Amino acid sequence: MATSSGKTSTPTPPASKRPLAKDPSSEVPSKKKSSAAPPLSLSGHFVEGSIVRILMENFLTYDICEVCPGPHLNMIIGANGTGKSSIVCAICLGLAGKPAFMGRADKVGFFVKRGCSKGMVEIELFRSSGNLIITREIDVAKNQSFWFINKKSTTQKVVEEQVAALNIQVGNLCQFLPQDKVGEFAKLSKIELLEATEKSIGPPEMHQYHCELKNFREKEKQLETSCKEKTEYLEKMVQRNERYKQDVERFYERKRHLDLIEMLEAKRPWVEYENVRQEYEEVKSARDRVKDEVRKLKDGQIPITRRIEEIEMQRHNLEAQIKAKATDIKETSQKCKQKQDVIERKDKHIEELQQALTVKQNAELDRQRRISNTRKMIEDLQNELRTTENCVNLQPQIDDITNDLRRVQDEKESCESEIIDKLKERETLEKEKKSVNDQIVQFDNLLNQKEDKLRQRYRDTYDAVLWLRNNRDKFKQGVYEPIMLMINMKDNKNAKYIENHIPSNDLRAFVFESQEDMEIFLKEVRDNKKLRVNAVIAPRNSYADRAPSRSLNELKQYGFFSYLRELFDAPAPVMSYLCSQYHIHEVPVGTERTRERIERVIQETRLKQMYTAEEKYVVKTSFYSNKVISSNTSLKVAQFLTVTVDLEQRRHLEEHLKEINRKLQAVESGLIALREKSKHLEHKDNELRQRKKELLERKNKKRQLEQKISSKLGSLKLMEQDTCNLEEEERKANTKIKEINVQKAKLVTELTNLIKICTSLHIQKVDLVLQNTTVISEKNKLESDYMAASSQLRVKEQHFIELDENRQRLLQKCKELMRRARQVCNLGAEQTVPQEYQTQVPNIPNGHSSSPPMAFQDLPNTLDEIDALLTEERSRASCFTGLNPTVVEEYTKREEEIEQLTEELKIKKVELDKYRESISQEDYDKYGIRIRVKFRSSTQLHELTPHHQSGGERSVSTMLYLMALQELNRCPFRVVDEINQGMDPINERRVFEMVVNTACKENTSQYFFITPKLLQNLPYSEKMTVLFVYNGPHMLEPNRWNLKAFQRRRRRITFTQPSQ
């Protein structure tokens, strides 16, 4: 039975009973034709590896579901969407199948029920040694699976090995054919079909042997190709060596000349070395002579140097004495300065004492003056106190003024409240005024758009408009700006009719009511300003309100909806001119319907001009034949009149603006009156406050005077107590000044003695400076003589240095030439140069001999002779042109490679012969199975392809092939999902009968057949298991599902029904 649950699962019942459902919203138990389920523990029913039980939790549509299939044919039936294919997915994923093989999703997490974080699939497989339970837990967040075998944790690899050991192949379409892969079976190539069939019905080693045969055949082909390529390559190598043999012989002839050149080039450095060595010896002798001369000059300079050193020591002693005298002078001068500073400080101290005495004298005079002033002030205050009147009767007057102040303040608050109301009203009116102004500006902007278009297209006309606006006072009657500015379209979609009807010259023409005004305008604008403008005169009798000759109601049957005049607004003179000149009140405007019946309109209405949705029609009558001739033109797109301005609304806005301004003036007048009243009340309030202040001051004046007199008396007492004895202060200051003068006289005596000492030191210093000058003069004379001798010495030393550098250069050159000569002759650094050095030309392979030995003594001994012989040998060697040094190397290398290839080719031929003896010469990788079918006796057999047969025919063919393999099948079970979809009833019945007959035989593997519907009256077998999958909101709770109880209830109903 198949069950599912959204609640906790119940314990699994015994194997002989089917597990019960728990969730009414998913699947319900399945039924069997037999009354009892077959025992699962008997190997006679289940083959090794058959599925005994399938458990799903939070998997696709299921909360929890347990399915217990039978050992033979299992029919899983249910409506679309109930969860039949979910069981197939559970089998595939539970047996380590890949999610992509199902064709539903590429991640295993997508198979977990929506809203759940984890899911689980558990499959129990029959094994004679004990059933195998494989559990796969799926984590959605990590998209990972956790595997268990018999409730013990394991890895996916171990599960795959266990499944493969039971010969279960969920990736083989011959064994496992899910719903989304039914069409893939017909797409299998013949090779893929053979491999799938081998894996399904053959022993495990069958497919392995086939793969080994293909590998052996592939290796044999590779060996054949390799032998062929190596044979061809070997022949090419031999041919190439034959072509280059003569070039190699010429190369060795050239090499003999090059060897002689090499010997000459080896001797040439030795000759160069000998020449440079002789030159080095000559330079060395000259250097030694100059070295002796330099030594003699240095010996002559020694006495002068000693005398200069003695004088320099004497000079240092004199300078030390001068420096000591200078130090003594400096110290004495410093003492003199210190004495002078002390004397100055004494003078400053005397001055400070005198200033302090003066300050005290001034302070005493100021105190006496302040005492006099305070006494006079006290006397004045006392006089004022005596004259102050009695203030007892002032309180009633203060109370009256306080009441008047309170009344005035109440009036002020009322006035300010009215002012605030007026200000709020003014603010509201100003906001409304701004809003109306903004709307008027928007209308003006639309008008400005018209003016911008006029300026861009007709600049002269625009300049004339500006002139007219500034000079309207020059005209007596009405003057109107260009017609395109005066016209206001009611609907801008109709602008194209007006612009196509009125020429552009008149659209930009000014309209005048008076001929005299027009002449004034044209004279000023055309003649004076040279502007190209147009002007017209409106008719004296107005045409603006003239009725059309035919009512619009008569023309509506033809699709006309208006006359041109009704499409726009314009001033009366402008409208009158357009009606008289272009008969806009007589020209109707129609729709697409008018164009469709235009011939009838022309014949019946006799209109001279008319407009349809996109065309203009002009009708004329021939003067000679009296025939009606019509012409039509397509309407041009409107350019100037597309901007629409509602002038009536603008006029209302202007009137509203005037009303707002009138209200604002009234509010402003009220504000002025209220402010005047507030100002008057403020003035009255200030007067009352001033009077109250004066009365309060009069009332408090006596008390204030008494307080001031008391304060001044206290200040006077303090000043009188703060006395100073000036005579005593003067006596103390004079005593201190006398003491300072005594100290000052002693300091002057000490300063005089220091000045005398400083003068004596200066005289001694001058004598020492004169002696030092004499010594320096003698030293300068000696240094001059020394410099002359040193100049001659430097010349000699420079000559010595040049000779030494030349010696070093020649020595270095000798070493370099020796090193090069040793390198050319292959001599080590420690080896001595032999008297006779002999080098032989190396032996050349392939039997070519070299020239006889040659020694250095047999070669020329001068550079000129060596260079002449080198030139001759190089000329001879250059005669062998076109030779490449790599040719010999390649020749030798190819000889070795030819030998190596010959050996390799022998080995590969032996290996190829062994392969040919082992297997036959066939293409095993091209082996395959072709399914050829026909469905009518009159047709030929055709190969099964995804394109030739219909969907039903492919399904029938697939089932026939699978049934043919059923009895040979070595896999424990097979799954086919909804393969009968698309079959006609006849083929579906035949296929079903074949499935029942084949799958219900003894010793056949387990079979799962999934279908959403079945035909009526089909044959069934006792060995079949039918699993019904239901899904809906009214299913029973799983714990209430009891098949035996249902059967008992059914029997009771059957027995009691006749009595009712």
Side-chain angles (χ1 to χ4, degrees), residues 45-255:
H45 293 277
F46 286 95
V47 298
E48 194 83 2
S50 297
I51 296 175
V52 176
R53 179 176 57 87
I54 304 169
L55 177 63
M56 296 167 281
E57 289 185 8
N58 298 328
F59 187 79
L60 289 175
T61 59
Y62 298 109
D63 290 333
I64 182 169
C65 175
E66 189 175 53
V67 180
C68 295
H72 298 291
L73 177 61
N74 291 275
M75 300 290 297
I76 301 177
I77 304 171
N80 289 329
T82 54
K84 303 183 304 300
S85 296
S86 299
I87 299 174
V88 178
C89 295
I91 294 173
C92 178
L93 297 180
L95 296 176
K98 296 180 180 179
F101 180 72
M102 304 303 301
R104 288 194 175 194
D106 56 348
K107 294 183 178 179
V108 71
F110 292 151
F111 288 89
V112 177
K113 188 173 183 179
R114 186 183 301 273
C116 298
S117 60
K118 291 185 178 181
M120 187 270 286
V121 175
E122 184 175 282
I123 296 180
E124 183 177 353
L125 302 177
F126 176 79
R127 256 190 343 189
S128 57
S129 59
N131 288 0
L132 179 68
I133 301 175
I134 299 173
T135 306
R136 181 175 190 169
E137 292 183 358
I138 303 169
D139 191 328
V140 177
K142 299 180 181 179
N143 194 38
Q144 290 182 349
S145 297
F146 302 95
W147 296 90
F148 302 88
I149 293 180
N150 294 332
K151 306 301 181 180
K152 294 181 181 180
S153 178
T154 185
T155 62
Q156 182 174 350
K157 185 176 181 181
V158 174
V159 174
E160 291 174 350
E161 291 174 355
Q162 293 282 354
V163 170
L166 295 172
N167 201 26
I168 297 173
Q169 306 164 21
V170 291
N172 189 343
L173 293 181
C174 288
Q175 178 181 350
F176 196 89
L177 191 63
Q179 178 181 354
D180 296 322
K181 294 286 185 176
V182 171
E184 298 291 330
F185 187 87
K187 296 179 183 178
L188 292 176
S189 65
K190 61 179 183 179
I191 298 173
E192 293 172 339
L193 183 58
L194 175 61
E195 291 180 356
T197 305
E198 286 176 349
K199 293 176 181 178
S200 178
I201 65 173
E205 61 273 10
M206 181 178 186
H207 180 67
Q208 181 181 352
Y209 290 159
H210 188 189
C211 292
E212 289 178 0
L213 284 172
K214 290 192 288 186
N215 293 335
F216 283 147
R217 179 56 179 158
E218 183 65 27
K219 289 180 180 179
E220 181 188 350
K221 290 181 179 179
Q222 291 176 358
L223 281 173
E224 288 179 356
T225 305
S226 178
C227 290
K228 184 178 180 181
E229 291 175 353
K230 287 185 180 297
T231 302
E232 293 175 354
Y233 182 66
L234 181 61
E235 292 175 355
K236 290 179 182 178
M237 295 277 283
V238 172
Q239 293 173 2
R240 189 176 299 173
N241 261 18
E242 288 296 327
R243 287 198 302 270
Y244 291 142
K245 187 174 183 179
Q246 185 177 0
D247 292 341
V248 171
E249 292 176 353
R250 293 179 67 241
F251 174 81
Y252 286 130
E253 180 67 23
R254 176 174 175 271
K255 193 172 188 315

Side-chain angles (χ1 to χ4, degrees), residues 837-848:
Y837 185 85
Q838 179 174 324
T839 303
Q840 293 183 349
V841 178
N843 292 329
I844 300 174
N846 298 327
H848 300 284

